[in-house]
Amino acid sequence: MAEKTLNVLEIAREQVKHACDKLGADPAVYEILKNPMRTLEVSFPVKMDDGSTKSFTGYRAQHNNACGPFKGGLRFHPNVCMDEVKALSTWMTFKCSVVGIPYGGGKGGMAIDPTEYSQGELERIARGFSRSIAPIIGEKEDIPAPDVNTNGQIMSWMLDEYSQATGSFQPGTFTGKPVDFYGSLARTEATGYGVATMALEAAKKLDINVEEVTIGIQGFGNVGSFAGMYIEEFGAKVVAVEDHTGTIVNPDGIDMKSLMEYNKIHRCIKGFQGAEATEDKLFSMDVDILMPCALENQITSQNAGDIKAKIICEGANGPTTPEADKIIYDRGITLVPDILANSGGVTVSYFEWVQNLGRYNWPFEEVQQKQSVLMKNAFEDIWKLAKDYSVDMRTAAYMMSIKRIADAMKLRGWYTETPVKVEEVKEAVATN
């Protein structure tokens, strides 16, 4: 049967519905969670370097704030659209809740390729976007952060513009800022460090010796590179890496720090002298752990059957389709889902926000230790829930998150449990 083509919003809704059904949640819970509470589309003019004026469009989706302010990144990528930011904001709600931090999900972005603009144009675009969404964000309302093709410098411009637009300096309105401008130590490394930590926890559960583990990584941006660096520090060997320019392999292990330096200079892995180029597909390679750290919809029903890895640890958001999820689970492969595996970024963003509110900075080691404790505790809870309910870890992660969010929504009075009809009770009694 051909794989059903779903956009990312349909995938997110299907995952939420599946978890709600498994949990036995009240129907009202899914009705509330299937759509963001608010979406905003903005359009604003920017003066270009050649003197012309160009209009730009941006989006912000705020999914659910039952547990706390909205939280989520802003991305600059040609594929950005309203459905994508809606889906990503949905995933952010559950990513926050799965590790127990008091946020709800938000996401935003613009359909642009930042490499097509000068530094000055990019700054004016970022400032225009920040000013346009200023009415709905704030350090107690909605806290954006970097995402695909955005960074600490862009967050700094946005924070400065937000301050000018509102007349109030609130450094906690944006996270992922440079350390020298109210940022947090260990934030840059946080997502990759979390992916490596979760992969190691999964290996322990399967009684796999980390010093004998081989790793394949798809994507070598911030997440993939730091995931590789830390898993190497833990004792594993990264034997294959794939990016947009191809795949490189070294059975003896690819030196991650050297590759990171090469990638920083060349913006790709092609030509790296410490490994050989190959035409082989990364997902079909004989490795112990796969780390998809690129974009969504990479593992599908077409390639899930080729995977030889014992563990998949998702560094990207939504890299596995629902059809592929079923194949992977049926084949006995352990998959650590994105909302847990890559939650390190939002976890340390939360720590940055707490530091901003208190105007106090924590040491690097303290931040990473706090992140490790939160994520390992979440892993243990989800692993146990998955075993108790005989479900995959993604479903268990959603079940854990939905339970926390549903409890908060019920206490707030957003819904009351649907009363059981007398006829249904009589029918149940008669059946028994």
Side-chain angles (χ1 to χ4, degrees), residues 11 17 22 30 32 35 47 63 70 86 124 134-135 137 151 167 180 251 274 300-301 344 355 358 371 381:
I11 290 172
K17 182 67 165 64
K22 285 287 185 182
Y30 175 69
I32 297 171
N35 290 310
K47 188 174 183 180
H63 179 255
F70 303 104
K86 284 181 177 181
R124 294 192 290 276
I137 65 173
N151 54 33
D180 291 338
T300 68
S301 62
Q355 292 170 81
Q371 175 189 349
D381 290 342

Side-chain angles (χ1 to χ4, degrees), residues 60 71-76 92 107-108 143-156 158 174-178 187-188 191 222 317 345-346 349 352:
R60 185 68 179 172
K71 183 81 185 78
L74 297 172
R75 60 175 52 183
F76 290 170
M92 279 302 303
K107 208 75 172 186
I143 304 106
D147 201 273
V148 177
N149 293 329
T150 57
N151 54 33
Q153 177 59 76
I154 290 174
M155 295 304 106
S156 298
M158 288 185 165
F174 292 85
T175 59
K177 305 179 296 294
R187 174 60 185 89
T188 302
T191 307
N222 175 269
N317 289 314
V346 72
S349 278
E352 179 180 337

Side-chain angles (χ1 to χ4, degrees), residues 365-383:
E365 293 76 13
E366 182 177 353
V367 175
Q368 228 170 47
Q369 190 270 339
K370 289 178 183 293
Q371 175 189 349
S372 181
V373 169
L374 272 181
M375 293 189 70
K376 286 180 179 180
N377 286 343
F379 182 94
E380 287 296 326
D381 290 342
I382 291 165
W383 182 270

Side-chain angles (χ1 to χ4, degrees), residues 410-432:
K410 186 177 178 183
L411 289 169
R412 282 174 173 261
W414 292 7
Y415 79 96
T416 54
E417 291 185 350
T418 304
V420 178
K421 296 179 181 179
V422 175
E423 293 79 6
E424 293 177 352
V425 175
K426 289 180 178 178
E427 183 179 343
V429 171
T431 303
N432 292 332

Side-chain angles (χ1 to χ4, degrees), residues 81-337:
C81 62
M82 182 61 86
D83 272 3
E84 181 186 56
V85 298
K86 284 181 177 181
L88 293 169
S89 72
T90 303
W91 282 323
M92 279 302 303
T93 293
F94 301 108
K95 189 181 297 184
C96 293
S97 188
V98 81
V99 287
I101 57 178
Y103 283 145
K107 208 75 172 186
M110 299 177 60
I112 64 169
D113 180 351
T115 63
E116 295 178 354
Y117 303 95
S118 70
Q119 184 82 341
E121 289 172 336
L122 193 60
E123 177 179 350
R124 294 192 290 276
I125 292 168
R127 287 181 177 275
F129 189 22
S130 177
R131 182 175 288 272
S132 296
I133 64 174
I136 67 166
I137 65 173
E139 63 182 11
K140 301 292 180 64
E141 301 295 331
D142 183 356
I143 304 106
D147 201 273
V148 177
N149 293 329
T150 57
N151 54 33
Q153 177 59 76
I154 290 174
M155 295 304 106
S156 298
W157 290 331
M158 288 185 165
L159 174 57
D160 181 69
E161 190 66 26
Y162 174 83
S163 300
Q164 294 184 45
T166 61
S168 174
F169 182 64
Q170 301 176 34
T173 301
F174 292 85
T175 59
K177 305 179 296 294
V179 173
D180 291 338
F181 188 54
Y182 293 90
S184 174
L185 293 167
R187 174 60 185 89
T188 302
E189 301 86 350
T191 307
Y193 175 71
V195 172
T197 301
M198 295 296 92
L200 182 59
E201 291 301 297
K204 289 177 181 176
K205 291 295 185 184
L206 300 183
D207 293 323
I208 300 173
N209 183 352
V210 67
E211 294 182 356
E212 298 174 357
V213 167
T214 55
I215 310 290
I217 300 175
Q218 183 198 43
F220 206 68
N222 175 269
V223 179
S225 60
F226 279 110
M229 187 191 83
Y230 280 110
I231 201 72
E232 182 182 67
E233 288 186 4
F234 294 157
K237 285 193 305 187
V238 179
V239 298
V241 177
E242 174 189 296
D243 75 352
H244 63 285
T245 61
T247 305
I248 58 174
V249 296
N250 185 340
D252 297 322
I254 302 170
D255 187 301
M256 286 292 98
K257 289 185 178 178
S258 296
L259 184 58
M260 288 170 76
E261 286 299 317
Y262 182 89
N263 187 54
K264 189 182 298 183
I265 296 168
H266 299 278
R267 296 194 153 195
C268 69
I269 62 173
K270 185 178 182 180
F272 178 65
Q273 295 299 304
E276 298 291 329
T278 181
E279 296 297 322
D280 294 342
K281 300 293 185 182
L282 179 75
F283 290 157
S284 61
M285 288 183 183
D286 190 8
V287 296
D288 296 307
I289 300 176
L290 276 177
M291 294 179 174
C293 300
L295 296 171
E296 58 266 13
N297 295 335
Q298 299 299 298
I299 301 177
T300 68
S301 62
Q302 302 303 307
N303 58 22
D306 299 329
I307 292 174
K308 298 181 177 68
K310 303 176 185 71
I311 298 167
I312 299 171
C313 194
E314 297 182 329
N317 289 314
T320 309
T321 66
E323 286 83 358
D325 259 337
K326 297 182 181 72
I327 295 169
I328 289 164
Y329 182 66
D330 289 343
R331 294 186 61 213
I333 298 170
T334 297
L335 187 147
V336 185

